Amino acid sequence: DVKVTQSSRYLVKRTGEKVFLECVQDMDHENMFWYRQDPGLGLRLIYFSYDVKMKEKGDIPEGYSVSREKKERFSLILESASTNQTSMYLCASSVDRDNEKLFFGSGTQLSVL
Amino acid sequence: GDSVTQMEGPVTLSEEAFLTINCTYTATGYPSLFWYVQYPGEGLQLLLKATKADDKGSNKGFEATYRKETTSFHLEKGSVQVSDSAVYFCALPPSGGSYIPTFGRGTSLIVHP
């Protein structure tokens, strides 16, 4: 089975800290995605990547950046964490654009104090 | 662009009750249709899919029929269990050269013993 692994299940950070969320997939998938999930708002796409070193902004990229140096790893970076970035962050991957199914990690619940 | 509308939750049921979660969509052509499920503390996972009109997707006792006339893909289960308590997302695959799937906002299901 495909595995998408997020490095932390829970994180607590201080306002202004630089935060790294890591995601690794083990099935050579082309596409990787970062979403945030908030009550009542569903899933909102932050960034996605369709190849190594390639990235595209999603719906809410402000305050975030990403890095994809290797195919299996997609990192989400909060340059200066703020309290409004407290959320559940979900990473996902898919084989390629023609493959419709997404595989999700278990999520990282980030609290910024 | 593509869009998915789901009924708002939470849906609260007693064990063994009948479940319907409504989903309607707007899309060009006749895309595949998906239901994902997110159990507490986990990421999303694909529950079922249908690839063409009148197809019925099924898994774990859940069913959904692709109705092109009403552009709907309602999720049903004849007898829910406490373990079905989760958030359910209706989704469209990427289209028109996009890499990004379209998700509904999710519907929370709470099943009481």
Side-chain angles (χ1 to χ4, degrees):
Chain A
D1 262 358
V2 173
K3 193 153 187 177
V4 179
T5 303
Q6 294 185 230
S7 54
S8 303
R9 183 69 184 90
Y10 298 98
L11 271 181
V12 180
K13 297 292 181 181
R14 296 285 181 188
T15 302
E17 279 192 76
K18 191 169 185 175
V19 181
F20 293 85
L21 302 183
E22 306 287 346
C23 175
V24 177
Q25 48 94 1
D26 65 359
M27 285 299 290
D28 202 38
H29 284 179
E30 299 284 338
N31 302 330
M32 296 187 75
F33 306 80
W34 275 107
Y35 290 90
R36 65 178 280 178
Q37 183 178 20
D38 300 288
L41 298 178
L43 299 175
R44 292 183 291 167
L45 182 66
I46 305 171
Y47 269 96
F48 73 98
S49 169
Y50 53 90
D51 202 351
V52 175
K53 297 190 188 293
M54 306 304 289
K55 60 188 179 185
E56 294 284 344
K57 293 179 180 179
D59 300 318
I60 52 163
E62 297 79 18
Y64 303 94
S65 62
V66 290
S67 172
R68 193 163 180 207
E69 297 296 318
K70 293 185 178 182
K71 194 173 187 179
E72 67 270 19
R73 185 179 297 269
F74 192 35
S75 302
L76 180 69
I77 304 155
L78 287 67
E79 295 288 344
S80 178
S82 63
T83 55
N84 62 13
Q85 291 178 309
T86 292
S87 185
M88 170 67 81
Y89 290 88
L90 291 167
C91 176
S93 70
S94 64
V95 172
D96 53 39
R97 186 168 63 190
D98 295 324
N99 188 293
E100 302 162 327
K101 177 179 174 180
L102 260 64
F103 296 84
F104 283 82
S106 295
T108 296
Q109 179 62 53
L110 173 67
S111 296
V112 183
L113 306 178
Chain B
D2 293 356
S3 67
V4 175
T5 302
Q6 288 182 237
M7 62 188 289
E8 294 213 14
V11 174
T12 304
L13 295 172
S14 297
E15 211 165 19
E16 300 184 2
F18 185 86
L19 168 71
T20 300
I21 299 178
N22 291 337
C23 169
T24 57
Y25 66 90
T26 303
T28 303
Y30 302 107
S32 298
L33 298 170
F34 300 85
W35 277 102
Y36 286 82
V37 60
Q38 183 182 30
Y39 297 107
E42 299 183 12
L44 282 70
Q45 57 185 275
L46 184 66
L47 177 61
L48 55 83
K49 67 181 278 189
T51 57
K52 61 184 188 296
D54 300 324
D55 257 6
K56 179 182 284 187
S58 61
N59 187 23
K60 300 183 180 182
F62 290 88
E63 293 183 336
T65 302
Y66 189 153
R67 303 280 188 206
K68 70 176 183 180
E69 302 83 5
T70 54
T71 60
S72 64
F73 193 53
H74 304 323
L75 183 68
E76 296 181 335
K77 187 174 186 184
S79 176
V80 294
Q81 304 301 311
V82 172
S83 57
D84 294 325
S85 298
V87 182
Y88 294 82
F89 292 87
C90 187
L92 292 166
S95 67
S98 169
Y99 291 89
I100 304 168
T102 301
F103 286 91
R105 287 201 170 186
T107 301
S108 175
L109 170 65
I110 301 168
V111 181
H112 294 293

